[in-house]
Amino acid sequence: MLNPFSGRDDVEICTAVQSHWRHHALYTVLQYGADDGSMLLQLWTRWQQQRDAGEPVPQRLHYILLPGPTEQDPPLAAPRATGIEDPLGLVAQWLPVWPAATPGYHRLLLAQDRIALTLIVGEQAQALTQLEARADCVLLQAAQGWQAPQIKRLCQLVRTDTLLFLPTPATALAGPLQQAGFAPVAGNTAGLAMRYAPRWRVTPAVPTVLPVSREAIVIGAGLAGTTLCQRLVARSWRVTLIERHGAPAQEASGNLAGVYMPSISRDDNPTARLTRAAFLFARQLWMQLDIFAPERQIGKACGVLQLARGPQQAEAFADAARFWRYPPAFAQWWSESEVSDRLQMAAGSGWWFPQAGWVRPARLCEAMLEACGDAVQRRFHQHAVHLRRVAQQWQVVDAHGAVLAQAPVVVLANSAAALQFEQAAGLPLQQIRGQVSHVPAEQLPVLPMALCGDGYLTGAVDGLVSMGASYDLGDEDTSLRLDSHLGNLGKLRQMLPQWQKQPDLASWQGRVGFRCVSTDRLPLVGALPDMAVLAVTGEVQLRDVPRHPSLHAVLGFASRGLIWSPLAAEIVASQLTGEPLPLGRDALALLDPARFALKAHRRAG
Ligand SMILES: Cc1cc2nc3c(=O)[nH]c(=O)nc-3n(C[C@H](O)[C@H](O)[C@H](O)COP(=O)(O)OP(=O)(O)OC[C@H]3O[C@@H](n4cnc5c(N)ncnc54)[C@H](O)[C@@H]3O)c2cc1C
């Protein structure tokens, strides 16, 4: 759809927004109804020009693009540059990161991570109810579908003084909006401009209490902790990072290489939806940080081929491919003959994910910390044992009672070791052993991509291919074992049955690590519940569960730490800074650390 505001209206709207945002450090524009990208482009151009001229602009600009209720097509297509003035060449910045139109939330990081664009695809019916954000400016491009419940919901998504613009054809909406608390702005001629100025006191459904200062302690320097540091520092936080080892990524995140990819299911179940969102956001962040620059040797976006584990799964894959028809840039289903053409051997059918690949997690952790500069104070060789709250601050204390650090916010990113803290002791996390085999590349088939199926196979790092991984429940053995190597070899043979070579197992090396897995296999991301207060609380909804103040978690990444860590960090950093969240309400509920406690509370009640 073209922009329903005419060219002259656009100019007037942009000028009004420009003078409105100068008083905001954080500014959120909510555009309801897709257009050709011109409003975003014009506002971004103004923001950039003002910034370059040293004028006051928001440090962070969020732009949320919601589909209108009657829009059938995915609302996003890479914006057409034609016909839109682009004096700064900004379209060239967003085209490379513009995502394939898969359903769900997409968060794009633009302008060196100062502009966050959130695109919501294919969720027309629930888009407004799912959104977790507060807008400073609303552009109502789509005028249809605004009944009383939608207007009521819109009022929950704005603040006092939020600007709202209606295109001329939609001015019939002015009356209902006025009744809901919006007042026309005098002297405006661009469609209709209104300001949210209710004459009654507005109580937010859930009051947001933001920390008193942007200082946090993060415990754990693996993928979870280091990525969180990066997302906080991008928002001008100062972080103290506490790690019991002398360097980052010494535990699960210390593997030589791991695979990153989405997962697909015919019913697009919560795990599939969430891993897709996590995969797409990880890619965005890594592109922003130039992680795949060849000289950095952090990883390779060489594509991953996920081979079906047997005829039943092959049929399920084909069925999902027929049903979903994903954009080829995101996922393609390859038949047996296509796979054998690519691999030069028969190996069944499977999913081809061209944007997936493999990464060296320890290098990625270092890159995240490097991007933080001196905004992160590294406190290594320090073992946190207790957390205590003193005068609106958290103190992190060691086994001798010494205070290691103090700040208003603490985030636990220390995997299953979080259970040692009294405040997290009830979380249903367990450790699951895994052994990766490091195999000399010349012993394995040379493949142009990473493989995944029963096991996985990465590209070679220093001549060694990572092949994994065993999944040993209830096994605490930290030593490398032949049976685990044999298990990994079995998985490779299962993926590539025609590959008959006998490798020299005596030359194999490897690494043992422990995944941190929750009972529902999904991570724990967000504020920790206060179990003692919950125990004496009556019936509550998830969002009303009492929480420890400013104590958050990024835990339980299981076998997908590479893709989970960026999205989890973005969620927590957005929550702590009062920014729009990168997922909808229901998806966030699936990751909420309080979900288990609430279930238990309801059972007990
Ligand atoms: C064998 C194996 C293969 C895997 N393969 C893949 C793969 O291919 N792709 C993928 O995406 N994921 C893979 N994973 C999963 C991935 O490695 C993890 O999800 C990820 O590393 C978890 O990161 P984390 O930061 O949560 O935990 P960790 O990396 O374990 O970091 C936690 C940190 O907290 C520190 N810490 C703990 N307690 C304290 C304390 N009290 N005080 C101070 N510091 C503390 C620890 O020392 C540690 O450094 C694999 C995991 C294993 C075990």
Side-chain angles (χ1 to χ4, degrees), residues 220 223-224 243-245 251-253 255 258-259 383-384 417 456 558-559 561-562:
L223 283 169
E243 168 55 52
R244 61 188 172 190
H245 296 290
E251 300 206 359
S253 307
N255 284 347
V259 170
H383 194 144
Y456 64 82
S559 302
L562 285 169

Side-chain angles (χ1 to χ4, degrees), residues 241-247 378-384 404:
L241 175 62
I242 297 181
E243 168 55 52
R244 61 188 172 190
H245 296 290
R378 303 172 187 209
R379 303 288 311 277
F380 291 171
H381 286 305
Q382 306 282 352
H383 194 144
L404 299 175

Side-chain angles (χ1 to χ4, degrees), residues 206 534 537-547 585 589 592 594-595 597-599 601-602:
V206 180
L534 179 62
T537 308
E539 178 66 38
V540 283
Q541 299 298 315
L542 188 59
R543 51 179 35 227
D544 308 317
V545 170
R547 315 275 170 155
R585 186 179 280 184
D592 191 322
R595 63 194 188 270
L598 182 64
K599 252 187 217 156
H601 179 68
R602 284 182 174 157

Side-chain angles (χ1 to χ4, degrees), residues 219-225 242-245 249-253 255 257-260 382-385 413-415 417 420-421 432 434-436 456 469-470 511 513-515 554 557-563:
I219 303 177
L223 283 169
I242 297 181
E243 168 55 52
R244 61 188 172 190
H245 296 290
Q250 298 301 295
E251 300 206 359
S253 307
N255 284 347
V259 170
Y260 72 91
Q382 306 282 352
H383 194 144
V385 172
N414 61 334
S415 190
Q420 75 182 61
F421 298 115
I432 298 178
Q435 178 173 317
V436 188
Y456 64 82
S470 68
R511 188 171 189 277
F514 291 86
R515 307 167 182 91
V554 280
F557 292 169
S559 302
R560 293 182 179 270
L562 285 169
I563 60 165

